[in-house]
Amino acid sequence: MSDKEEQPDTSLDVETYGNPRTFDPNFKGPIAKRNCTDVLCCIIFVLFIIAYILLGLVAWVHGDPRRVAYPTDSKGHFCGQKGTPNENKTILFYFNLFSCTSPSVVVNLQCPTTQICVSKCPEKFLTYMEIQFSYRTNKHYWTYYSQFCKSPFVKPVKTLSQVLLDDDCPTAIFPSKPFLQRCFPDFTTKNGTLTVGNKTTFEDGSGKTRNAIELRTAANRVNKILDARAIGMKVFEDYATTWYWILIGLTIAMLLSWMFVILLRFIAGFLFWVFMAGVIGIIGYGIWYCYQEYSNLQGRPNSHLSIYDIGIQTDISMYFQLKQTWFAFMIILCLLEVLIILMLIFLRGRICISIALLKEGSKAIGYLPTTLIYPVLTFIFLSICIAYWAVTAIYLATSGVPIYKVISPERTCEHENTTCNPEIFNTTEIAKACPGAQCNFAFYGGKSLYHQYVPTFQIFNLFVFLWLINFVIALGQCALAGAFASYYWALKKPDDIPPYPLFTAFGRAIRYHTGSLAFGSLILALVQMFKFILEYLDRRLKEAQNNVCKFLQCCLKCCFWCLERMVKFFNRNAYVMIAIYGKNFCRSARDAFNLLMRNVLKVAVMDKVTDFVLILGKILVAGCIGVLAFLLFTHRLPTMIEGPTSLNYYWVPLLTVIIGSYLVAHGFFSVYAMCIDTIFICFLEDIERNDGSPERPYYMSQSLLKILNEPNMQTKKH
């Protein structure tokens, strides 16, 4: 064996992308002596992080998260804030909830009625006129009613018109309950009829008779939340009852995932060929079924007609009464069956290599078990990034001083939506020109330079967040690639594997390749940012779009989705080359692209085989845990183990366990997928660099050597 022309089919598939690697006798695996790469991008990345930290500090100075935690009354005061007159008044009360049906709610995102802080919600029906009549005989009602007024009154001396004009008290109160620190009507349903406080109709205090449906319409958006309140409480109770069973299920999922990864060295080939046999069998059954249906239609009237003869029909079942339909299905399935069988025959060598690489990946993780812990570190880093982004976004959103705007329930005021001062509003010309208009709190903002650029800061916050998230993922991929590359390029495994390979690879990635990882994650962050912008424009302009715009937007979304997937694929392989050779991002991406294009068939087969095994593993783990959880939560295992009793919705903990198990399996298999990708690229590099001779031995394992059918005297000797 002297040259590559005598090697079997496992040499280069395509030789049009770059040149194969030449033999380097000094190459023994990942390069130890390196230089810093993409320094300029590293500097830019660090500057962006510093700016991001400064933005967080500035937002922390100007923002006030209490504006999110506490409801705000019409004067901009917090309800329930300690050290204020509203300390014991934790609930927001709406004077006239019927005003919430006004179109101005959509414009200003505020209900155009006075809102005050109260200590408790109304518990009975009362109107201001009823209080005036009963005050002389029973002052208790006025004492109760006056707590829902702006300021305390000794007695109800004002007329109803004066109350409406001055907006001092509500014209009526209804039985309500606090939810989300706000008073909302206490709706109930009796015999299919909606009621409020056991009444279907009531007086609104202004001379009109209202019904419960009108009141519910006024609070329609909030009522959707109210309808879910009971379900939410029951779900919370179920979680409180089953939380330890959920933790046990996730722990078992972790153990099953670990066992599956380790056992893949023995069952990878079995799983793949059994699955393919099942696919061939299912398609074969489909062919037989189509033939049976075709035969049964022989001699039936009109079955000989073609699809062209009957034209377009809304009843799809009519097409299944034609022989031509089943004949076409049978031909399509036959072609698919033949195509799959031919692919398995002609690509069997590459499929065997892919299965061997899957087994090799399982063996590598067995020698490097610490790599399975790395997803926990990635999860911690991602949690920090997400928390910082969320906190910064909240502080930015609550930056500024209270802004008040003129709100008119009927939207007839020419000064509608203009800024105002609530302290002097009643003495201004606006109050005289627009009777009934109010100066209510609208939002937090300001006219300073900082407040003018808050939307820009929010965009910057989102962009740097995406950049950091992708950088954390890239760091994990590069560190794992370096560890698994150290395993592959050890000639005598496991004796030649360097100590602490994961820790060493992580240190190399941070010390030398922060700029390269930041470069790759920047490209991906830009693509994702454009996707977010498209999604935002789609939501804002959905009603104004025509069919052509919708079609173009769908095309753009599809293109950016494909671009994102492609960038992730090339970045992933570029990080592997960075971990091995220590080159900059562009050169590593180019080398990885050329290497994969020279072996494009191997890449395609390997990618599909790996996807199949990983998807099957995730479904297997989540399915096993799901079945056990179903039997436990539905009390199907009383003789073996007693599960939780009196669950409101057994599907709540069941879905939690299934989804959680899938995510746990995904974390384990993401490490395995990175292992396979790294070993695959190292394998392609190995067969390009070496020929299996004593002078140029392969570094691959004996199982891969056996499939290659190449003698390697050096490996045999060891």
Side-chain angles (χ1 to χ4, degrees):
M1 182 68 61
S2 59
D3 51 24
K4 295 180 79 67
E5 283 73 23
E6 299 177 7
Q7 292 186 17
D9 178 50
T10 55
S11 61
L12 306 180
D13 294 319
V14 184
E15 298 198 14
T16 57
Y17 294 91
N19 298 317
R21 297 280 185 185
T22 56
F23 176 69
D24 182 5
N26 297 320
F27 182 76
K28 302 295 182 183
I31 305 299
K33 295 183 179 180
R34 305 177 177 226
N35 296 320
C36 294
T37 56
D38 296 305
V39 178
L40 178 60
C41 192
C42 179
I43 295 173
I44 296 174
F45 182 60
V46 172
L47 291 176
F48 265 76
I49 292 178
I50 294 174
Y52 196 34
I53 295 173
L54 293 176
L55 175 63
L57 293 175
V58 173
W60 180 76
V61 171
H62 289 84
D64 190 351
R66 293 175 303 175
R67 296 164 183 171
V68 178
Y70 298 103
T72 308
D73 65 11
S74 297
K75 302 300 181 182
H77 302 144
F78 298 128
C79 297
Q81 183 183 356
K82 293 183 179 181
T84 66
N86 292 332
E87 181 176 358
N88 297 323
K89 299 178 179 180
T90 59
I91 308 170
L92 190 68
F93 173 72
Y94 297 90
F95 268 26
N96 184 10
L97 200 58
F98 290 104
S99 300
C100 296
T101 57
S102 170
S104 61
V105 176
V106 180
V107 178
N108 302 312
L109 300 178
Q110 286 284 332
C111 186
T113 186
T114 301
Q115 304 162 31
I116 64 171
C117 300
V118 296
S119 57
K120 63 179 182 179
C121 295
E123 299 173 348
K124 60 183 73 172
F125 284 102
L126 284 174
T127 66
Y128 184 79
M129 296 183 67
E130 290 175 349
I131 294 299
Q132 281 188 314
F133 286 119
S134 61
Y135 176 74
R136 297 176 182 177
T137 57
N138 191 345
K139 298 181 180 181
H140 170 72
Y141 286 108
W142 171 245
T143 304
Y144 178 81
Y145 194 90
S146 63
Q147 64 181 321
F148 302 107
C149 296
K150 281 184 179 179
S151 56
F153 294 93
V154 178
K155 55 183 179 179
V157 294
K158 290 187 176 183
T159 62
L160 179 62
S161 59
Q162 288 178 317
V163 169
L164 291 173
L165 185 61
D166 298 338
D167 204 29
D168 289 326
C169 295
T171 57
I173 58 175
F174 319 109
S176 306
K177 286 187 176 181
F179 181 61
L180 297 177
Q181 294 182 276
R182 289 162 174 83
C183 291
F184 292 111
D186 184 15
F187 292 109
T188 56
T189 303
K190 288 188 176 182
N191 300 325
T193 303
L194 185 68
T195 64
V196 178
N198 297 323
K199 289 186 177 182
T200 56
T201 60
F202 48 86
E203 297 290 332
D204 67 354
S206 60
K208 295 181 181 179
T209 301
R210 304 276 191 166
N211 57 48
I213 296 178
E214 291 181 81
L215 189 58
R216 187 177 182 92
T217 303
N220 187 37
R221 293 185 180 180
V222 181
N223 283 331
K224 294 179 180 178
I225 304 175
L226 290 172
D227 291 338
R229 178 175 58 178
I231 297 177
M233 292 299 297
K234 292 179 180 180
V235 169
F236 179 79
E237 293 174 359
D238 290 342
Y239 277 128
T241 305
T242 60
W243 65 269
Y244 53 92
W245 290 107
I246 293 174
L247 290 180
I248 292 174
L250 297 181
T251 303
I252 297 175
M254 182 181 66
L255 295 176
L256 283 179
S257 301
W258 181 79
M259 291 175 58
F260 186 84
V261 170
I262 298 301
L263 291 176
L264 274 178
R265 73 174 72 178
F266 307 109
I267 63 174
F270 173 78
L271 287 176
F272 179 80
W273 292 115
V274 167
F275 175 78
M276 294 311 301
V279 170
I280 293 174
I282 291 173
I283 296 177
Y285 173 78
I287 295 172
W288 175 82
Y289 183 81
C290 292
Y291 176 75
Q292 288 293 109
E293 291 292 327
Y294 179 82
S295 301
N296 293 335
L297 290 175
Q298 293 284 359
R300 290 190 181 182
N302 299 326
S303 63
H304 64 282
L305 296 176
S306 66
I307 297 176
Y308 178 78
D309 293 333
I310 66 172
I312 299 176
Q313 299 292 330
T314 56
D315 187 6
I316 301 178
S317 62
M318 294 186 62
Y319 295 105
F320 296 110
Q321 307 300 322
L322 305 178
K323 293 192 299 181
Q324 188 184 66
T325 302
W326 293 106
F327 184 77
F329 284 159
M330 185 171 61
I331 294 298
I332 293 172
L333 291 176
C334 287
L335 292 175
L336 185 62
E337 184 92 326
V338 171
L339 179 63
I340 292 176
I341 293 174
L342 290 177
M343 288 179 62
L344 292 176
I345 292 174
F346 290 103
L347 297 177
R348 66 186 184 279
R350 291 178 174 82
I351 292 175
C352 290
I353 292 176
S354 300
I355 294 173
L357 287 172
L358 290 173
K359 296 179 179 179
E360 192 67 19
S362 175
K363 191 185 299 182
I365 291 179
Y367 286 129
L368 305 173
T370 54
T371 55
L372 292 176
I373 306 176
Y374 191 85
V376 177
L377 183 62
T378 300
F379 174 78
I380 293 173
F381 286 155
L382 292 178
S383 300
I384 294 173
C385 293
I386 294 172
Y388 188 86
W389 165 77
V391 171
T392 303
I394 290 174
Y395 272 92
L396 284 173
T398 57
S399 296
V401 295
I403 301 297
Y404 302 89
K405 291 196 173 184
V406 177
I407 295 178
S408 175
E410 303 300 329
R411 296 198 69 188
T412 56
C413 179
E414 61 179 348
H415 303 285
E416 176 81 20
N417 212 32
T418 59
T419 57
C420 58
N421 185 347
E423 301 295 334
I424 60 172
F425 178 73
N426 292 331
T427 62
T428 60
E429 295 296 327
I430 298 178
K432 298 177 182 179
C434 304
Q438 301 172 20
C439 182
N440 283 354
F441 166 78
F443 55 87
Y444 292 97
K447 298 182 179 180
S448 66
L449 185 64
Y450 167 78
H451 295 108
Q452 292 176 5
Y453 284 95
V454 165
T456 305
F457 293 150
Q458 288 284 22
I459 296 174
F460 179 79
N461 181 32
L462 176 61
F463 173 71
V464 181
F465 165 71
L466 294 175
W467 195 357
L468 287 174
I469 288 291
N470 289 310
F471 176 82
V472 170
I473 296 174
L475 178 62
Q477 292 174 346
C478 190
L480 291 172
F484 292 125
S486 299
Y487 161 83
Y488 184 92
W489 295 107
L491 188 60
K492 187 178 181 182
K493 303 175 179 63
D495 297 336
D496 291 345
I497 299 176
Y500 311 112
L502 180 60
F503 179 79
T504 304
F506 181 83
R508 280 200 303 259
I510 289 290
R511 181 178 179 182
Y512 297 108
H513 307 303
T514 297
S516 298
L517 300 180
F519 193 6
S521 55
L522 172 62
I523 297 173
L524 186 56
L526 289 172
V527 175
Q528 292 171 341
M529 195 67 188
F530 280 115
K531 281 184 61 182
F532 275 110
I533 294 174
L534 281 176
E535 189 66 29
Y536 174 78
L537 293 176
D538 181 46
R539 290 181 180 275
R540 290 298 297 263
L541 304 176
K542 181 170 289 186
E543 296 182 357
Q545 289 177 349
N546 54 32
N547 292 332
V548 176
C549 291
K550 291 180 179 179
F551 173 75
L552 293 176
Q553 198 138 26
C554 288
C555 291
L556 285 174
K557 287 183 180 180
C558 181
C559 291
F560 273 99
W561 181 85
C562 295
L563 180 61
E564 182 183 11
R565 299 280 295 183
M566 184 178 66
V567 171
K568 285 183 177 180
F569 176 77
F570 287 125
N571 280 7
R572 188 182 181 91
N573 292 287
Y575 299 148
V576 176
M577 300 299 280
I578 290 172
I580 298 175
Y581 296 106
K583 304 299 182 182
N584 60 44
F585 176 81
C586 292
R587 182 171 177 180
S588 298
R590 183 200 64 187
D591 292 344
F593 176 78
N594 290 336
L595 178 65
L596 295 176
M597 288 299 101
R598 292 195 300 267
N599 301 271
V600 65
L601 287 179
K602 291 190 185 74
V603 173
V605 174
M606 184 69 212
D607 185 58
K608 297 307 175 186
V609 172
T610 303
D611 287 345
F612 155 71
V613 172
L614 295 184
I615 292 174
L616 185 63
K618 294 174 187 178
I619 295 175
L620 186 64
V621 171
C624 290
I625 300 300
V627 170
L628 292 176
F630 175 78
L631 296 176
L632 179 67
F633 295 141
T634 56
H635 309 290
R636 308 290 177 90
L637 297 173
T639 57
M640 299 177 57
I641 187 172
E642 184 177 355
T645 58
S646 66
L647 289 178
N648 297 300
Y649 308 107
Y650 74 86
W651 51 266
V652 171
L654 176 62
L655 288 179
T656 303
V657 169
I658 293 175
I659 296 174
S661 301
Y662 184 86
L663 293 177
V664 168
H666 177 75
F668 274 84
F669 295 150
S670 64
V671 175
Y672 182 69
M674 197 66 214
C675 176
I676 297 302
D677 289 345
T678 304
I679 291 178
F680 181 55
I681 287 182
C682 292
F683 169 76
L684 298 179
E685 288 280 291
D686 197 8
I687 61 176
E688 287 193 359
R689 285 178 171 277
N690 308 308
D691 58 8
S693 63
E695 296 80 17
R696 298 166 61 180
Y698 286 129
Y699 284 81
M700 65 190 70
S701 63
Q702 289 289 347
S703 58
L704 289 174
L705 278 174
K706 189 180 297 184
I707 294 176
L708 280 174
N709 195 25
E710 286 287 331
N712 191 324
M713 302 304 297
Q714 181 73 12
T715 305
K716 287 183 179 180
K717 182 178 179 181
H718 283 292

